[in-house]
Amino acid sequence: MSERDPTAERYYLNRELSELAFQERVLQEGVDERNPPLERLRFLAYFTKNTDEFFMKRVGGLKQQINADVSETTPDGRTPKEQWDEVLDAARPLFRKQSEYWETVLKPTLAADGIEICLPEDLSKGKQDSLRTYFEESILPTLTPLAFDPAHPFPFISNLSLSLAVLSSNAAGESTFTRIKIPPNQPRLIEVPGESDQHVLIEDLIERNLDLLLPDLDVHDVSKFKVTRNAEVRRDEEVAEDLIDMVEEVLEQRRFATVVRLEVDADMPEESLSILKNQLHMDDREVFHREGPIDFEDFFELVDADRPDLKLPSWTPQPHPRLGATRGDTQDGQVDIFDEIRHGDILVHHPYHSFEGTVQRFLDAAANDPSVLAVKAAIYRTASDSKVIQSLIDAAANDKQVAVMVELKARFDEENNLEWVRQLEEEGIHVAYGTVGLKTHTKTALVVRQEADGVKLYSHVGTGNYHSETAKGYSDLGLLTVNRDIGLDLTKVFNFFTGPTLDDRFRKLLIAPVTMRERFTKMIRREAAHARAGRPARIVVKINGLEDPAMVEELYRASMVGVEIDLIVRDICRLRPGIDGLSENISVHSIVGRFLEHARIFYFENAGTPEWYIGSADWMTRNLDNRVEAVTPIEDVELREQLRFILEVSLTDNRRRWVMQSDGSYQQRIPDGEPMRDTQEILMDATEAACDRGHGPGMVVDTDLIESDLLIEPLTDSERDSRSEADTEIKTPPGAGVPVGPETETGVDGRSDLEDGIEFDGRSESEAENAPDEPSEPEAETGANVDPDGGDHSDSRPHSDGGGQSVFDRHSEHWYQPDSDTYDWAVRTIEGDRRYFKTRDGARRRLRSEYE
């Protein structure tokens, strides 16, 4: 087979269609009857919220490009017009599925369980009268009918507003189109008097009582509709005189932006539809006919109902065991957080760990500790009643030097952030608004503290926003550390926010846009060089999006030379896994559960000297080139163990995990005679177990659930030799290449010589990149008791019988190859249980640990 071209368009998926595929997975949770009813309703509401944003941002951007006659193609070879057509075609059946499931399954199910959404006319006369009185007293005064006729221009229709289109005529037979906006400051779900779990929708109540709003008219039709406008409106930052003025102008322009979607009742008459299409300048393809409710987002209110029998078991974020009420078993009261960080780095994991008890506590302590000299923080999004902001205000009131970077361009949070900027400045705090040409997306804070032995730098580097509410529903990680190199790196980053330039020399952190792309690229290429030389090579990355074409190409090239790559990508992914000769060594997974997977974790095996990172950046062009991002190494062995637990449990999830096929479609994994493994449930259990245990790591790692495929610390010489023998027949020539492991030389920046183009197995990096693939180990045949070592018995460590048999030959009765899409190997334990493995190496180690 000829070598595949990793840059060819056919090997790249479309960004917009990939995001819609994620929304389809969200929708599937809303129709998955393994979820309780209110959990399903929550996902239907999320689907509406997410697709609203998708149309505002992504479809709006495509329409702008079409109107500007942009013909440039994407990496997958599509023009804006082609993408627009395909996106609309792909979205239509998803909306239909949402509506049909609500009308035919979920609405009746909830009604049977006592939660009803009724039509007013289906209620008793007494209840109808009570609702009419409520309408007349509370709703009618807020309504403003806007007629469209020769005497009245067509009214402005705001973004995402739900409206009624009314066709009517007067006594003279003159027809009129009237738009009635559903008031957003009124509850959408109106409680039926005397019935706490019975509701009517406000739009149905208005329609039922139109005679009070439009008296003496003959109403011919009432139909619901909703308009979505483009959010991709911008001004050139280079010529903006003031960033605040620019953001305010963008917000104003967004109100009047182009309409990109029109949702209407399925039976809206052609007369109303024609008026809307003509006046809003809509194409027929942009019209979506909906059965039942048009907007499900307000149904979040029902999800909050006090009906635990219809929900998943509730989860309360736990205190971190190292920051709880006790230290060890002898002290009462909270520990000093700075003292605890000095004892060792702390890894916090939200929402498993409480945001208030970890990150918020860190900032509160900094604000009130007399030894703290300065506090700095970068705010991308925060809550409307943010305690984080209050801590920074308190710090300034306590005479700390406070500097805050507030990103005004955080989409859909611009207005909220503008308010915080004004409040912070009123308190005399120095505020940076952002950077021309870049968004600041890093989630970092720095505390400067005077201590007996000098000034210490305490840092927080996270994957999620300083937002107490989203921290309850988004899965994110954060590192609390007193590592001086990280603190000095953050000092440079914060100086950039207020100074003229961003330094490109960092001790520990990977910083976009100056060093991150280059460092990640070198690490991927290093794994490829290890694979060519026959050394262990593996990459595991957990991110929200993989969109950057250059990173996809690097992963393809690494796969082509044998690097085993697992990608846990929540939503957008351009890469196609499982293509022979290109990506057969790559698997792509996506987890959709009760918490939004938002953490970013990066693992590089590095021939036995593993490297682990967490941070704010996805592998998307915007993150690597157009945002200020920070990724930090995780060096503490105990914290690496927790990251390994997260990744390995995620990769074997058979409840919430989807696996991408080479055509870009996804298949959900389900238990196949195996115990159910739900990543988020497992991590909740691990967190509670850690709290029960007391002071210590943030999670109790259940070693029965993982098989140590991912290294957490450098291998010993004997382990490395054994692993090399077991994994490959390729031997590095004597004296060639660079030593790996403890004896590897590292420079002042912490990088090994391997990363700087020094020879790999006797060749330069560029020569190794372009050399033909080296012979690989023979593939195992399929079937019971086939020797997975290829029949050459290379596993020849001395044993009591002195033989040189493969471990699989020696214990052939204790393993088999299961009929499973997830696992390739199964080992019978001494206790009679079965343990399943994705890799031959994992099965080999289990056989040795059980029987040798």
Side-chain angles (χ1 to χ4, degrees):
M1 182 175 62
S2 61
E3 184 173 324
R4 295 190 186 268
D5 177 6
T7 66
E9 291 176 347
R10 65 184 180 277
Y11 298 138
Y12 290 77
L13 295 169
N14 181 259
R15 182 206 192 284
E16 320 304 346
L17 295 174
S18 182
E19 182 165 346
L20 267 184
F22 168 63
Q23 303 308 339
E24 185 176 8
R25 298 195 293 280
V26 172
L27 178 59
Q28 182 59 35
E29 287 296 306
V31 303
D32 188 336
E33 299 195 3
R34 293 177 294 176
N35 290 325
L38 288 180
E39 180 72 359
R40 280 176 266 160
L41 182 60
R42 185 166 75 96
F43 277 99
L44 293 186
Y46 269 126
F47 177 77
T48 291
K49 182 176 186 295
N50 293 352
T51 51
D52 283 352
E53 290 192 9
F54 175 77
F55 271 82
M56 285 190 289
K57 294 191 297 185
R58 304 309 306 177
V59 179
L62 290 174
K63 194 164 182 178
Q64 271 188 329
Q65 293 177 58
I66 293 168
N67 292 338
D69 294 323
V70 173
S71 58
E72 182 180 350
T73 60
T74 52
D76 51 284
R78 289 174 170 87
T79 66
K81 177 62 165 60
E82 289 170 336
Q83 294 178 80
W84 182 77
D85 286 335
E86 291 188 57
V87 162
L88 296 181
D89 287 343
R92 207 170 302 279
L94 301 184
F95 294 129
R96 188 161 52 246
K97 181 177 181 179
Q98 179 192 33
S99 296
E100 288 178 357
Y101 187 78
W102 165 255
E103 288 293 316
T104 62
V105 179
L106 190 52
K107 181 181 176 182
T109 297
L110 288 170
D113 287 319
I115 297 179
E116 291 186 85
I117 306 295
C118 308
L119 291 172
E121 55 266 32
D122 293 337
L123 299 172
S124 67
K125 179 68 165 55
K127 291 179 179 178
Q128 289 189 49
D129 291 344
S130 296
L131 284 172
R132 186 174 175 86
T133 301
Y134 172 80
F135 171 82
E136 191 169 12
E137 294 177 351
S138 301
I139 299 176
L140 180 62
T142 69
L143 300 178
T144 304
L146 297 171
F148 174 56
D149 55 31
H152 300 90
F154 188 79
F156 171 75
I157 301 175
S158 55
N159 184 40
L160 299 184
S161 61
L162 186 61
S163 303
L164 296 180
V166 181
L167 292 178
S168 63
S169 59
N170 57 22
E174 298 168 327
S175 62
T176 300
F177 174 95
T178 303
R179 180 258 182 147
I180 302 170
K181 180 178 180 178
I182 305 301
N185 54 1
Q186 291 274 7
R188 174 94 179 283
L189 293 159
I190 307 297
E191 190 174 297
V192 175
E195 302 289 343
S196 60
D197 285 335
Q198 198 172 47
H199 303 80
V200 297
L201 295 173
I202 188 172
E203 60 265 33
D204 294 333
L205 185 60
I206 294 171
E207 179 179 354
R208 182 68 176 171
N209 295 280
L210 268 182
D211 60 302
L212 297 176
L213 180 66
L214 303 175
D216 303 323
L217 288 179
D218 185 10
V219 175
H220 305 300
D221 181 77
V222 182
S223 300
K224 299 182 292 294
F225 71 95
K226 174 182 167 183
V227 160
T228 308
R229 292 184 180 272
N230 178 22
E232 284 293 306
V233 291
R234 299 172 181 164
R235 272 192 60 194
D236 187 349
E237 296 176 36
E238 299 287 351
V239 299
E241 294 181 5
D242 184 278
L243 191 56
I244 288 182
D245 289 343
M246 187 205 78
V247 170
E248 288 176 333
E249 184 173 328
V250 165
L251 290 172
E252 183 67 16
Q253 289 176 356
R254 195 177 283 166
R255 291 186 62 240
F256 301 97
T258 305
V259 177
V260 297
R261 180 181 58 166
L262 174 62
E263 296 174 271
V264 302
D265 268 343
D267 58 354
M268 175 178 274
E270 184 58 35
E271 183 179 352
S272 294
L273 186 57
S274 294
I275 291 172
L276 290 172
K277 287 192 299 184
N278 291 335
Q279 296 300 318
L280 297 172
H281 309 292
M282 303 294 294
D283 186 285
D284 283 339
R285 293 175 57 76
E286 297 172 287
V287 179
F288 292 81
H289 295 268
R290 305 293 303 267
E291 297 280 356
I294 286 180
D295 192 329
F296 286 77
E297 189 169 351
D298 292 310
F299 287 1
F300 280 123
E301 182 182 335
L302 282 182
V303 175
D304 293 334
D306 185 19
R307 291 295 303 271
D309 55 314
L310 303 180
K311 302 180 184 181
L312 291 173
S314 62
W315 170 253
T316 301
Q318 302 293 299
H320 193 287
R322 285 183 56 193
L323 301 175
T326 63
R327 177 178 172 84
D329 297 322
T330 58
Q331 291 185 345
D332 294 326
Q334 286 192 330
V335 300
D336 179 278
I337 192 167
F338 299 115
D339 180 59
E340 193 62 40
I341 295 171
R342 279 198 308 275
H343 278 84
D345 293 352
I346 299 174
L347 186 71
V348 298
H349 195 184
H350 314 300
Y352 308 104
H353 298 135
S354 161
F355 179 86
E356 289 80 1
T358 55
V359 178
Q360 184 63 56
R361 182 172 161 196
F362 174 66
L363 295 172
D364 286 344
N368 296 289
D369 189 322
S371 298
V372 169
L373 306 176
V375 182
K376 303 183 180 186
I379 306 295
Y380 188 71
R381 302 186 197 275
T382 191
S384 56
D385 58 347
S386 176
K387 293 181 181 178
V388 169
I389 298 293
Q390 188 58 53
S391 293
L392 297 170
I393 292 172
D394 292 345
N398 291 331
D399 297 324
K400 320 296 182 189
Q401 294 294 316
V402 179
V404 184
M405 169 46 236
V406 179
E407 180 49 78
L408 293 183
K409 294 168 287 183
R411 199 189 319 251
F412 306 128
D413 273 283
E414 298 99 335
E415 194 167 359
N416 187 46
N417 286 0
L418 277 170
E419 290 301 315
W420 284 124
V421 164
R422 293 187 176 106
Q423 185 171 340
L424 288 165
E425 289 184 331
E426 286 172 2
E427 300 292 337
I429 294 172
H430 182 80
V431 181
Y433 307 142
T435 307
V436 172
L438 299 172
K439 274 189 179 180
T440 299
H441 193 247
T442 175
K443 292 85 166 67
T444 50
L446 180 67
V447 173
V448 183
R449 190 170 189 262
Q450 179 68 57
E451 298 183 359
D453 55 348
V455 171
K456 301 290 186 184
L457 304 177
Y458 291 84
S459 304
H460 173 259
V461 181
T463 70
N465 298 305
Y466 291 107
H467 197 302
S468 57
E469 289 307 306
T470 58
K472 297 174 184 175
Y474 284 36
S475 173
D476 273 304
L477 291 160
L479 176 70
L480 291 166
T481 182
V482 74
N483 183 289
R484 189 161 187 81
D485 286 340
I486 291 175
L488 290 172
D489 283 349
L490 279 187
T491 300
K492 289 184 178 184
V493 174
F494 280 105
N495 287 343
F496 165 64
F497 296 144
T498 56
T501 184
L502 178 57
D503 201 332
D504 61 359
R505 293 165 295 178
F506 295 93
R507 293 169 169 82
K508 295 281 189 182
L509 298 182
L510 313 186
I511 300 295
V514 289
T515 65
M516 189 178 293
R517 178 185 288 278
E518 176 187 10
R519 294 285 289 114
F520 274 136
T521 299
K522 284 187 174 181
M523 284 188 273
I524 295 172
R525 291 180 179 178
R526 182 184 61 190
E527 294 299 313
H530 285 317
R532 290 190 191 93
R535 294 184 287 262
R538 190 177 182 193
I539 298 169
V540 183
V541 173
K542 184 181 188 298
I543 48 180
N544 302 323
L546 173 56
E547 172 271 342
D548 185 74
M551 297 303 288
V552 173
E553 180 184 344
E554 293 293 341
L555 292 169
Y556 279 154
R557 293 190 184 278
S559 168
M560 291 168 74
V561 298
V563 180
E564 183 183 349
I565 302 171
D566 279 300
L567 305 172
I568 307 170
V569 186
R570 186 190 72 198
D571 47 81
I572 301 162
C573 183
R574 283 197 186 275
L575 182 147
R576 293 181 183 269
I579 299 174
D580 289 344
L582 180 76
S583 58
E584 71 268 31
N585 294 312
I586 304 178
S587 60
V588 176
H589 316 258
S590 175
I591 292 176
V592 182
R594 67 192 295 177
F595 306 133
L596 181 72
E597 292 291 331
H598 196 250
R600 290 92 168 183
I601 306 173
F602 307 90
Y603 169 80
F604 302 90
E605 188 160 290
N606 192 22
T609 307
E611 293 187 7
W612 292 85
Y613 297 84
I614 66 168
S616 61
D618 293 312
W619 279 358
M620 302 181 73
T621 302
R622 69 184 187 189
N623 299 95
L624 298 171
D625 297 339
N626 302 315
R627 291 184 172 186
V628 181
E629 305 272 12
V631 167
T632 181
I634 301 296
E635 298 175 336
D636 182 276
V637 170
E638 203 169 64
L639 304 191
R640 288 181 170 193
E641 176 80 5
Q642 294 174 59
L643 295 180
R644 177 174 71 97
F645 184 56
I646 295 167
L647 291 184
E648 294 211 16
V649 167
S650 299
L651 290 171
T652 54
D653 185 302
N654 58 17
R655 173 62 183 89
R656 305 289 180 182
R657 181 170 59 102
W658 297 75
V659 178
M660 186 199 281
Q661 310 304 297
S662 59
D663 64 355
S665 64
Y666 285 80
Q667 292 183 359
Q668 190 173 34
R669 287 292 179 255
I670 59 175
D672 183 15
E674 306 154 352
M676 189 178 76
R677 293 166 63 105
D678 183 327
T679 296
Q680 295 178 355
E681 294 289 336
I682 290 170
L683 295 180
M684 284 188 280
D685 291 343
T687 305
E688 287 185 323
C691 291
D692 292 341
R693 178 210 54 214
H695 184 272
M699 291 185 176
V700 171
V701 174
D702 185 347
T703 55
D704 285 340
L705 295 176
I706 57 178
E707 297 301 336
S708 304
D709 282 338
L710 305 183
L711 305 179
I712 58 171
E713 56 186 331
L715 296 173
T716 65
D717 289 343
S718 61
E719 287 173 330
R720 186 177 298 104
D721 290 344
S722 173
R723 180 166 182 149
S724 180
E725 279 184 343
D727 281 348
T728 181
E729 284 295 293
I730 302 171
K731 299 294 190 293
T732 304
V738 179
V740 294
E743 64 271 20
T744 301
E745 293 286 345
T746 56
V748 293
D749 62 355
R751 295 184 298 170
S752 71
D753 291 338
L754 279 173
E755 299 170 41
D756 292 321
I758 294 178
E759 290 186 346
F760 302 88
D761 67 346
R763 297 175 291 176
S764 70
E765 183 177 1
S766 60
E767 290 171 338
E769 286 280 330
N770 299 313
D773 290 355
E774 302 203 36
S776 60
E777 186 177 44
E779 287 289 326
E781 297 178 11
T782 304
N785 295 339
V786 174
D787 182 0
D789 287 306
D792 60 2
H793 308 302
S794 60
D795 184 277
S796 55
R797 297 185 306 157
H799 295 282
S800 58
D801 61 1
Q805 272 191 320
S806 158
V807 67
F808 291 89
D809 280 348
R810 290 194 298 274
H811 307 290
S812 59
E813 72 276 19
H814 297 305
W815 69 271
Y816 63 97
Q817 292 181 311
D819 183 14
S820 169
D821 291 334
T822 304
Y823 302 98
D824 291 328
W825 309 97
V827 172
R828 297 182 180 90
T829 67
I830 292 173
E831 291 79 16
D833 297 325
R834 292 178 176 85
R835 292 289 182 265
Y836 297 89
F837 304 87
K838 291 179 62 180
T839 65
R840 178 176 56 196
D841 191 47
R844 176 186 292 108
R845 286 198 301 274
R846 188 66 182 218
L847 284 169
R848 285 176 176 158
S849 67
E850 288 285 334
Y851 301 107
E852 299 179 5

